[in-house]
Amino acid sequence: MQKSPTFVAIRDIAAAARRYSLVGMLGWQDVRQRYRRSALGPFWLTISMGVMIGTIGVVFGQIFQTAMKEYLPFLAAGMILWNFMSVVVMEGCTGFIAAEGIIKQLPIPLFVHILRMMWRNVLILLHNIVIFPLVLLAVGRPLGWEALIAIPGFVLLAINLAWGALLLGVLCARYRDLPQIVGSALQVVYYLTPIMWMPGHLSQRAGAYLVDFNPIYHLISIVRSPLLNAMPTATDWWVSLALAVLGWFVAIALYGRYKRRIAYWL
């Protein structure tokens, strides 16, 4: 009896989740291998990110005529989260392609490679997040108890990124031009999302389109707002939850249907 595509997908994802120790080891090994023989390791990325945040903060803070106490923490949290999100999306495009050798040799769940990629980038995010308290210290802004809400917000963000990476991993394994298209689209989304600019910098009508109808803004807000001593709105939570449910529904359907073909596409 042939099993349904949905069952095939869910079984593979569940089997990958049970291999959490393997995922952790492979992700940690990726980080160590990437920065092998480097004195500072992944902290080179942290230094680069810190310099970029400081430079953009000084320049655009003057252009927008916004107080550094408000603008710099907003920019730092936004850029750190955007860097994590954009890298996960781009590496999700090549998640299966990069693991071609393992996929063709070892019978492990394919979703392991998506989890491995995400864990690797979470480790890098933990290095970059060090910048944020330093920024708060520099501008004399305290971190409130609201910051704890960023934890469930980040979990929901990661759930959304996981289905996005899985979906793109399948599509890009079949259509190799898609990573370039996704990279170009991310650049456009970066400028349309309040990362370098604050929602208050726009007129009310423009803000309604670029903020209220921008799902990426809501995904960032459920993590960034608590870090800035503010609570995410109900809209932020509902949009993020709706994206997670709808996204996983589509991703499971597509993954289950084409999972057996991925090895032949590589």
Side-chain angles (χ1 to χ4, degrees):
M1 180 178 178
Q2 189 176 7
K3 297 175 182 177
S4 68
T6 300
F7 177 81
V8 170
I10 293 176
R11 185 180 63 177
D12 184 88
I13 293 170
R18 290 194 295 269
R19 301 284 189 93
Y20 61 89
S21 59
L22 175 63
V23 171
M25 180 191 68
L26 291 175
W28 182 254
Q29 186 63 30
D30 286 343
V31 175
R32 293 184 61 185
Q33 186 66 25
R34 181 180 297 183
Y35 300 100
R36 185 181 179 186
R37 297 182 181 178
S38 172
L40 295 179
F43 281 106
W44 280 116
L45 293 177
T46 305
I47 294 171
S48 176
M49 177 69 67
V51 171
M52 185 180 300
I53 290 171
T55 304
I56 294 177
V58 171
V59 174
F60 281 85
Q62 296 298 319
I63 293 175
F64 295 135
Q65 297 182 354
T66 305
M68 285 292 104
K69 189 173 183 178
E70 299 296 326
Y71 182 65
L72 203 56
F74 179 90
L75 175 69
M79 289 196 66
I80 292 170
L81 287 172
W82 173 257
N83 181 73
F84 170 70
M85 294 170 65
S86 60
V87 171
V88 167
V89 169
M90 288 305 303
E91 291 191 0
C93 291
T94 58
F96 295 130
I97 299 172
E100 176 182 357
I102 298 177
I103 291 174
K104 291 183 176 180
Q105 294 180 34
L106 298 176
I108 62 176
L110 295 185
F111 192 63
V112 163
H113 305 294
I114 301 298
L115 292 178
R116 169 188 182 179
M117 177 274 299
M118 291 200 62
W119 173 240
R120 176 174 68 239
N121 284 290
V122 167
L123 291 174
I124 295 175
L125 173 66
L126 292 176
H127 288 84
N128 288 340
I129 203 65
V130 174
I131 299 171
F132 186 71
L134 296 178
V135 169
L136 293 180
L137 186 63
V139 299
R141 184 168 174 170
L143 187 65
W145 289 104
E146 297 89 348
L148 295 175
I149 305 299
I151 298 175
F154 178 76
V155 171
L156 184 54
L157 171 63
I159 290 173
N160 276 284
L161 288 174
W163 72 254
L166 176 61
L167 190 65
L168 288 171
V170 175
L171 292 174
C172 293
R174 177 64 180 85
Y175 303 103
R176 297 302 177 93
D177 292 331
L178 271 181
Q180 287 74 26
I181 298 174
V182 172
S184 299
L186 282 175
Q187 292 181 359
V188 175
V189 172
Y190 175 72
Y191 290 109
L192 292 179
T193 304
I195 297 172
M196 288 197 306
W197 51 273
M198 302 177 74
H201 294 151
L202 299 178
S203 63
Q204 186 174 1
R205 184 174 181 180
Y209 288 104
L210 294 180
V211 175
D212 296 341
F213 298 102
N214 186 342
I216 305 302
Y217 167 72
H218 296 293
L219 288 175
I220 291 178
S221 291
I222 59 175
V223 183
R224 178 171 61 185
S225 294
L227 295 176
L228 300 177
N229 299 335
M231 295 298 292
T233 64
T235 302
D236 294 333
W237 289 112
W238 281 115
V239 170
S240 301
L241 284 169
L243 282 174
V245 173
L246 180 61
W248 270 109
F249 179 80
V250 174
I252 287 175
L254 185 75
Y255 183 52
R257 182 171 182 177
Y258 295 107
K259 174 183 176 292
R260 293 184 177 91
R261 303 185 189 181
I262 292 175
Y264 297 98
W265 291 341
L266 299 177

